[in-house]
Amino acid sequence: MKLPNLSAPVMRKNNANFRKEGVNPSIDWLCVVTCAAALAKCAFSSDPAQCLISAGMSKCIKCL
């Protein structure tokens, strides 16, 4: 099968356009710092496993 020749090259979006449209979202540093602080508090908790689960669910899940 022979494909026809294109008269003009196909224009594709570059990465800058994708970033402007929100395809590659920027990192929310406030959320990341809040999550890290919540996880750091679990180091001295009496029940670190439960602390990590609750901190992850309340502070870190929204950063994803």
Side-chain angles (χ1 to χ4, degrees), residues 29-41:
W29 289 107
L30 179 61
C31 186
V32 171
V33 170
T34 305
C35 173
L39 294 176
K41 289 179 184 177

Side-chain angles (χ1 to χ4, degrees), residues 7-58:
S7 60
V10 176
M11 300 302 289
R12 303 195 193 296
K13 291 182 179 182
N14 61 17
N15 287 339
N17 287 339
F18 281 127
R19 285 189 199 107
K20 288 178 187 173
E21 293 172 3
V23 174
N24 293 327
S26 62
I27 296 174
D28 183 5
W29 289 107
L30 179 61
C31 186
V32 171
V33 170
T34 305
C35 173
L39 294 176
K41 289 179 184 177
C42 293
F44 302 108
S45 175
S46 61
D47 187 7
Q50 183 60 37
C51 180
L52 289 172
I53 292 169
S54 64
M57 294 301 284
S58 65

